[in-house]
Amino acid sequence: MTNRTDFPPPNANQQAFPPPAAGNQVNAQNIQDALEKAVAPKVINTSNNKNDGLNKCPRCGSTEISTQPGTGMLVCHHCRYVFEVAVAVFKDPKELIGEAIGTGAGDITIDETQVTIKCQGCGAEVVVNIEGSMTSRCHWCRQVLSLENQMPNGAVPDVLLPFLLSRETAKQHIEAFAKKRTFYANSHFKREFTTENIIGVYLPYMVVDANVHCDIRGKAGDVVRKYTVGSGDNKKTYYDIDLYDIGRDFDLAIDNLTVEASTDKLNVNNKMNTNNIINSILPFDLENAVHYNGNYLKGFNSERRDTNINDLRGLVDAQVRDVARFKANSTATKYDGGIKWESQDMDTKGSQWLSAYLPVWLYSYMQVKGNGQKLLHYIAVNARTGETMGSVPVSIGRLLFVSSLIEVGLLFLVIIFFLFLVF
Ligand SMILES: [Zn+2]
Ligand SMILES: [Zn+2]
């Protein structure tokens, strides 16, 4: 075994810090000011100073606007004008310096679910229960009022991705998914399965961009010789491996890292199976996200964000480190003897946090087991890509029947497969 080193040339844009200039008057207050300036996050205003109330058709002024099925555009029901909100464009992650936070991603400080909107049409004050809907009809002048203002209750995000898949297309995806699993499904489910009640829901996510520098070190093995000794049962294979010190030092731009922003989804609880399902229909085409506009929510449900950026930092950091290790590995493929990273220093130069609503079609089924225990099953469809994942209640009888037919070795694989069906 030999020890060698494999370090790339030092990064050209790395700079040594100059020594502080002599004679510069420095006092404690200046340092404090400088620190605060450096630490306070920048605010990205995504509100466009919109107010709650009438969000009108640009052509005729009607408020009867909703998402056009199959295109993700908005359509006016009065004049049939089809239009869209501009795609939200933000800084290239490579250019991020310091922390920036969207006005819709700020900390939640109030827990209001009832919002009073003043109708600009007639002056009436209308109460909207935002747990169920983000829009309401003025009971005097019949115009539709929508919540647009990003108040600190997590209800209005910075951006959203409109529903692209129509209800009909989502139904077909869900039916095809269930049909493939019919053989193992329990009979109650087969009798009761219908896609008539599927619901379109905007789920809350936090979308993170980051500009990080990674310095990662460890050991890498290079197989120089492979040989076998002995014969028959005593045959053994040996490897001669050169061991290298390995180091990688690089900049990394993270674009659209997506994490769930609902406590319900983050917690490991009885709904965990659902979370796995929702995660497995990622990714979304976030490059097409538009600025929030309440008209997109008409006809759909939405779930309010209830976590703050600080609750999600640990999760995001872990994912960024994973991405960095993955990148480092991709630059060291010549080492066929394996790599063991021993240290990983991450320096976040800049980051950006935006809250987003992402569109999902949901089919749900409540299974009541023999002992009265209830288990909620879901089939979820990514309403942008059509990616579908879910669980259906299985028939134990079918499982046992199939199990008895297969050998023990295979059984293990089959159990894993069924666990996947159940969870
Ligand atoms: Zn119109
Ligand atoms: Zn009114």
Side-chain angles (χ1 to χ4, degrees):
M1 220 175 244
T2 44
N3 248 316
R4 297 178 198 168
T5 54
D6 173 21
F7 286 99
N11 206 328
N13 57 23
Q14 249 179 0
Q15 278 181 356
F17 289 102
N24 245 6
Q25 201 65 34
V26 181
N27 65 42
Q29 188 55 46
N30 284 348
I31 293 172
Q32 192 58 35
D33 288 350
L35 276 176
E36 270 169 20
K37 217 176 267 175
V39 172
K42 285 185 280 263
V43 173
I44 306 165
N45 186 0
T46 61
S47 73
N48 298 328
N49 302 317
K50 282 181 291 188
N51 287 318
D52 300 333
L54 307 177
N55 190 339
K56 295 178 175 178
C57 165
R59 189 197 264 172
C60 76
S62 164
T63 57
E64 304 294 330
I65 302 160
S66 66
T67 309
Q68 188 183 48
T71 65
M73 311 257 271
L74 291 172
V75 59
C76 171
H77 295 264
H78 186 70
C79 72
R80 309 308 303 170
Y81 181 53
V82 175
F83 60 105
E84 61 189 331
V85 174
V87 167
V89 179
F90 297 97
K91 240 185 192 165
D92 186 325
K94 286 193 215 74
E95 292 163 11
L96 291 172
I97 301 289
E99 188 169 72
I101 294 174
T103 41
D107 282 359
I108 295 164
T109 54
I110 53 172
D111 193 29
E112 269 172 28
T113 55
Q114 303 272 324
V115 177
T116 305
I117 300 179
K118 193 176 174 68
C119 174
Q120 297 103 320
C122 70
E125 300 216 323
V126 178
V127 176
V128 183
N129 182 349
I130 56 168
E131 289 295 7
S133 169
M134 303 285 274
T135 59
S136 186
R137 208 174 271 282
C138 170
H139 44 262
W140 293 106
C141 72
R142 304 293 301 155
Q143 295 195 85
V144 180
L145 306 173
S146 60
L147 186 73
E148 304 283 340
N149 181 18
Q150 291 163 334
M151 59 163 146
N153 64 355
V156 173
D158 295 304
V159 295
L160 67 74
L161 266 177
F163 271 78
L164 193 58
L165 252 64
S166 68
R167 176 181 291 271
E168 275 315 307
T169 313
K171 274 182 176 182
Q172 288 162 14
H173 279 84
I174 292 167
E175 278 158 14
F177 183 91
K179 198 175 173 198
K180 266 191 207 161
R181 286 144 184 90
T182 307
F183 181 78
Y184 304 103
N186 77 22
S187 50
H188 276 283
F189 172 78
K190 276 192 266 192
R191 259 199 318 276
E192 293 168 7
F193 177 76
T194 167
T195 51
E196 286 314 306
N197 56 0
I198 64 167
I199 296 177
V201 189
Y202 280 102
L203 294 177
Y205 284 82
M206 202 68 92
V207 180
V208 188
D209 285 359
N211 173 16
V212 295
H213 183 83
C214 174
D215 185 348
I216 186 168
R217 268 133 222 280
K219 294 268 189 289
D222 188 17
V223 178
V224 284
R225 200 158 73 99
K226 176 186 169 186
Y227 52 95
T228 48
V229 176
S231 59
D233 286 348
N234 294 322
K235 200 162 125 181
K236 279 185 176 158
T237 305
Y238 290 89
Y239 298 89
D240 277 354
I241 293 178
D242 277 357
L243 202 58
Y244 291 82
D245 284 329
I246 183 171
R248 292 291 184 266
D249 191 347
F250 56 90
D251 289 330
L252 185 62
I254 305 263
D255 203 5
N256 294 335
L257 189 94
T258 311
V259 291
E260 280 158 342
S262 158
T263 313
D264 197 36
K265 301 285 181 303
L266 288 164
N267 280 351
V268 179
N269 60 18
N270 59 339
K271 287 188 188 164
M272 203 182 93
N273 31 4
T274 316
N275 309 343
N276 294 341
I277 288 167
I278 298 296
N279 275 328
S280 59
I281 59 167
L282 294 174
F284 283 86
D285 54 329
L286 278 150
E287 64 278 13
N288 294 317
V290 299
H291 282 291
Y292 177 83
N293 180 310
N295 284 322
Y296 281 112
L297 270 67
K298 260 172 243 171
F300 301 106
N301 285 28
S302 59
E303 188 170 317
R304 199 153 62 103
R305 169 172 72 91
D306 64 355
T307 50
N308 290 329
I309 288 173
N310 278 338
D311 304 324
L312 299 169
R313 283 188 198 281
L315 183 65
V316 168
D317 279 352
Q319 292 193 11
V320 169
R321 294 177 79 88
D322 284 350
V323 174
R325 273 197 304 280
F326 188 79
K327 176 162 181 187
N329 286 339
S330 73
T331 67
T333 47
K334 65 173 178 171
Y335 296 104
D336 47 1
I339 298 175
K340 184 171 180 278
W341 297 115
E342 290 161 339
S343 72
Q344 185 179 5
D345 285 335
M346 305 290 290
D347 175 23
T348 303
K349 291 186 271 187
S351 63
Q352 172 189 278
W353 297 73
L354 295 171
S355 60
Y357 270 160
L358 302 182
V360 177
W361 284 106
L362 281 180
Y363 162 82
S364 67
Y365 179 80
M366 184 68 83
Q367 180 190 11
V368 184
K369 294 182 171 178
N371 58 7
Q373 207 190 335
K374 286 179 178 172
L375 185 61
L376 195 56
H377 290 270
Y378 274 97
I379 301 175
V381 182
N382 178 321
R384 301 289 301 184
T385 64
E387 186 71 28
T388 305
M389 189 45 75
S391 74
V392 298
V394 294
S395 155
I396 300 300
R398 286 277 184 169
L399 277 190
L400 293 177
F401 170 72
V402 176
S403 310
S404 65
L405 296 179
I406 3 186
E407 286 178 5
V408 180
L410 262 179
L411 188 62
F412 180 71
L413 284 178
V414 170
I415 288 170
I416 299 281
F417 174 66
F418 286 131
L419 282 177
F420 187 66
L421 275 180
V422 178
F423 294 105

